[in-house]
Each structure stands twice: as C-alpha cells, then as structure tokens.
Amino acid sequence: MSVSRILVVGAGGREHALAWRLARDPQAPEVLVAPGKEGMGDVARCVAAGEHDALALAAVCRREGVDLVVVGPEAPLAEGVADVLRAAGFAVYGPGSAAARLESSKSFAKDVLRESGAPTAASEAFTSFAEARGGLSRWGPPWVVKADGLAGGKGVRVTSVRGEAEEFLRDCLERERFGASGRRVLLEEFLEGDEVSIMAVCDGREYVLLPPARDYKRALDGDRGVNTGGMGAYAPSEDVDGALEEEIGRRIVGPVLECLRRRGTPFLGTLYCGLMLAARGPRVLEFNVRFGDPETQAVLPLVEGAFAELLAAAARGEPAPGAVRRARGSVVAVALVDEGYPDAVRGGGRIRGLDRLRGREGVEVFHAGTRAAGEDWEVTGGRAAYVVARGESRSQARARAYAAVAELGGSGWRTRRDIAEAAAPVREGGAGRGPGER
C-alpha cells in the first residue's frame, strides 16, 4: 500500500514529532495535522478539525484523500474516534475504544494483566472513601494511590505520609476532583527499581519494539515535586539490553496482545509499557495506548527506514518485518514549560530564540502549547515546546540540548536542568504517570 498522504490527529509536541518523522520517510508523504499548531508548519499542513470530532476528521480524510490516520492523544481513542474512522473505511493507526480501556481504566488494565499472566504490581480497587481509607493499612507505607481513569497528569500520588494519601483519596472519591475518572481508585503495591518506557508498534498479533526510553515525570530537579505529564526524556535507556527487551516482549507485550485478541478487541496501535525494573524482573506500572509524550520526541529520531509503512501495515493488521531499523547514538528531549506548570499554569510567557535553533545540526524543536508572537513564541499551555538534541552519546546529546536551551530568552517559562544526567536518581515504585497524563 502506497502511503502518500497522512493525517496526524492532535496538537502537541508528540504530534509535531510524529509529523516530522513521517514527513522524512523515504516515500516523502504529505503530512496533515488536525488541528495542529502553527509551530508545526515546517513539516505539516494544519487542517481545521478538532481531535475529538470524528465526523469532521472523516470529512478531512475524504476531501484530502488521506491514506493513513495516526491518532496521537489518548482521549480521542478512548472516545472511539478510531472506531468511527475505521467504520468509514479509512486505515487508522490507533486502537478502538474497547482496547483503549487499557489506558482509560487502570482496573481494566489490571484485569488484562492478570488474565495474560504479565507481571505487574498487586493492587486493590475501591469506590468508597471509607473502604479505601481502611485499605491503606494493607498497602503501605509508602502508599501508591491512582485514580482509575484519565486524569490529565495528576492522577497518581505516591507518599509515605498517611494524611496525604487520605487527602488524595478524598479528592478522588468525595470531592470528585477528577470527575468520573476518580470515582474508582486503586491502591497499589509499592515497587522499587528504575523506570523505563517501551513502546511497541502492534498489528493485533505481532509487534515491533522501538528503542527504550526514560522520561522524567516530577516537576522539579532531583525528581522532586508533583507528577507532571513529563519534563523530558532520553533514549535509548541503557538499563534495557537485548535480552531484557526480548523478555519484555515475550512476557508482557505478546501475552497482552493475545489476551485482547481472544477478547475480540485486537490491538492495532502503540502499546506503551511503563515498566519498573524491579529485583524480580520487569513489572508493568501502567499501559498507554498511544505514543508517549515526551518519549516520542526522544525515540523517533532514532528510528530509520519506512516508519509510515510500519504504521500503515499495523493499521491493516499486517506485520511489516524490516520496515524500520534503529539508528546509533542517543537523543535527549527537554521540555520548556509554563513557569507555574503543572498546578498553576498562567500562560502569557514568552520564549525568545526558538526559531534560531531550527536547522542547527543535531537539534530539533517540537511545538506544543505555543502561539507566534512576532519573533517570540507565546506560552499558551502547560508544556510549551521541546528542545531535542541528538549525539553520539547521551552526554553529547545532553550537552547539545542544554546549550540550545541556554540561548533562549524571554520570561514565564522554565525547564528541569537534570534531564539525562549521568547519575540518574533511583525511581520510586508505583510513581509512573497514569493514563491520560501528558
């Protein structure tokens, strides 16, 4: 199947990275982004259709003669956008709403993990505050508390202070901080080790693993502060060698795909595995059902070959062995975020100098929450943009990324300064970003 025109659904840094990589494919396809952002204009044409509006997206596909749709964010997948587009006859890379429950419901994901035999942290679900508070004595300290559904980056609390755990339970179950997404919570076993993210391109039966990555979820340097959607990432993660990758595929990805196929909901899309490399081997902390953000920004520069062909084949339920290969080297992505991100996003900040970084050897800029403001870019969302650098080693990539960041001016934005440091801190078990947290 020739892929000459691709529609990427979404408007964040992940979608900019997807559009950038797809446009660089050997077939040089035209890439459209709906709705996209003006900062993506260097690689794609933005079209006026909301990411949640399946009918408008279908109209775009018909009008533009789209060969492949790649759905970026999780919420449209959970809502069934991929189902509507497939029913209209379009090739869609992204799971239907039934399989997307792996991300939109943590308790559903736990059921699939148990049924498939894939290793994960033990957990218990609650819908009553009184019962959940009573359950704290069985699950900590430290306590890992997770809202069941999509929670916009704030649905996980890991704490050794019982009062904080109780307050988070009350936020979910009584104050309805997350609406329907928090009406069920999970108390989960605390695991210790190092976190890693692995994304698998899946065709319902077979899969291709992309380079392993590590992201930084906490808001502040030294892994302090609250969870965010991600402050940066690097790839590949040296914690995962070939043997461990094979084990992850054999014990986790393959069994989960087979379980979903038996259930009648084959998984066509990206299965993002958030893993803890614990003493007993890899354990699943979370599943996402789409490319990770910011992991995608760090991983895709390392993917060579016919990436569009790989995604198109997966969308058809067919394998594409040998379509892509891994590049050598390392990539570091640093997020530029609103000064008050994640809890007090004010907007209105200015980033000066981003455009000067374009075209620099080994450096890319991916836009998310930005708007052109003369020669500057105005900060319009929590995560504004990403400075991404590639090098022969992680240290070289990191040096390039932060040298580029150091040239930026303006106000009202900040970064973490320790992304991809050589001595990475030990990760807290169960602190993985929850579904929907981007």
Side-chain angles (χ1 to χ4, degrees), residues 9 18 61-62 88 90 116 163 182 249 254 257 310 312 371 373 406 431:
V9 177
L18 282 165
C61 291
R62 282 194 283 280
F90 301 108
S116 65
L257 293 182
L310 176 68
R371 179 169 55 218

Coordinates of all heavy atoms in Angstrom, one line a residue, residues 9 18 61-62 88 90 116 163 182 249 254 257 310 312 371 373 406 431:
V9 N -3.6 13.2 14.1 CA -4.6 13.8 14.9 C -4.0 14.2 16.2 O -3.4 13.4 16.9 CB -5.8 12.8 15.1 CG1 -6.8 13.5 16.0 CG2 -6.4 12.4 13.8
L18 N 5.7 13.3 15.5 CA 5.2 12.3 14.6 C 5.2 12.8 13.2 O 5.6 12.2 12.2 CB 3.8 11.8 15.0 CG 3.8 10.8 16.1 CD1 2.3 10.7 16.7 CD2 4.2 9.4 15.7
C61 N -10.5 13.4 5.8 CA -9.9 12.3 5.1 C -10.5 12.1 3.7 O -9.7 11.8 2.7 CB -10.2 11.0 5.9 SG -9.2 10.9 7.5
R62 N -11.8 12.3 3.5 CA -12.4 12.2 2.2 C -11.9 13.3 1.3 O -11.6 13.1 0.1 CB -13.9 12.2 2.3 CG -14.5 10.9 2.8 CD -16.0 10.8 2.6 NE -16.7 11.5 3.6 CZ -17.0 11.1 4.8 NH1 -16.6 10.2 5.3 NH2 -17.8 11.7 5.7
A88 N -15.8 4.2 8.6 CA -16.0 5.0 7.4 C -15.0 4.5 6.3 O -15.0 5.1 5.2 CB -15.7 6.4 7.7
F90 N -11.5 4.1 6.5 CA -10.1 4.7 6.5 C -9.2 3.8 7.3 O -9.6 3.2 8.3 CB -10.1 6.1 7.0 CG -11.0 7.0 6.3 CD1 -12.1 7.5 6.8 CD2 -10.6 7.4 5.0 CE1 -13.0 8.4 6.1 CE2 -11.4 8.3 4.3 CZ -12.6 8.7 4.8
S116 N -3.6 -12.3 31.3 CA -2.5 -12.7 30.4 C -1.3 -13.3 31.1 O -0.4 -13.8 30.5 CB -2.1 -11.5 29.6 OG -1.5 -10.5 30.5
G163 N -1.6 11.0 55.9 CA -2.6 12.1 55.7 C -2.7 12.5 54.3 O -3.8 12.9 53.8
G182 N -12.1 9.6 38.7 CA -11.7 9.4 40.0 C -12.7 8.7 40.9 O -12.4 8.6 42.1
G249 N 9.1 -8.3 25.6 CA 8.2 -8.7 24.6 C 7.5 -10.1 24.8 O 6.3 -10.2 24.6
G254 N 3.5 -9.6 24.1 CA 2.9 -10.7 23.4 C 1.7 -11.3 24.1 O 0.6 -11.4 23.5
L257 N -1.3 -8.8 23.9 CA -1.9 -8.8 22.6 C -2.8 -10.0 22.4 O -3.9 -9.9 21.9 CB -0.9 -8.7 21.5 CG 0.0 -7.4 21.4 CD1 0.9 -7.5 20.3 CD2 -1.0 -6.2 21.3
L310 N 5.5 1.0 8.3 CA 5.3 0.2 9.5 C 3.9 0.5 10.2 O 3.2 -0.4 10.5 CB 6.4 0.5 10.5 CG 6.3 -0.2 11.9 CD1 6.5 -1.7 11.8 CD2 7.3 0.4 12.9
A312 N 1.3 1.9 8.7 CA 0.2 1.6 7.8 C -0.1 0.1 7.8 O -1.3 -0.4 7.8 CB 0.5 2.0 6.4
R371 N 2.1 29.9 20.6 CA 1.4 30.7 19.6 C 2.4 31.8 19.2 O 3.1 32.4 20.0 CB 0.2 31.4 20.2 CG -0.6 32.3 19.2 CD -1.9 32.7 19.7 NE -1.8 33.3 21.1 CZ -2.7 33.1 22.0 NH1 -3.7 32.3 21.9 NH2 -2.5 33.7 23.2
A373 N 4.2 35.1 18.4 CA 4.0 36.5 18.9 C 5.2 37.3 18.4 O 6.2 37.5 19.1 CB 4.0 36.5 20.4
A406 N 20.1 27.2 26.6 CA 20.8 28.3 27.2 C 20.8 29.6 26.3 O 20.9 30.7 26.8 CB 22.3 28.0 27.5
A431 N 5.3 5.2 40.9 CA 5.1 6.6 40.7 C 4.9 6.9 39.2 O 5.0 8.0 38.8 CB 6.3 7.4 41.2

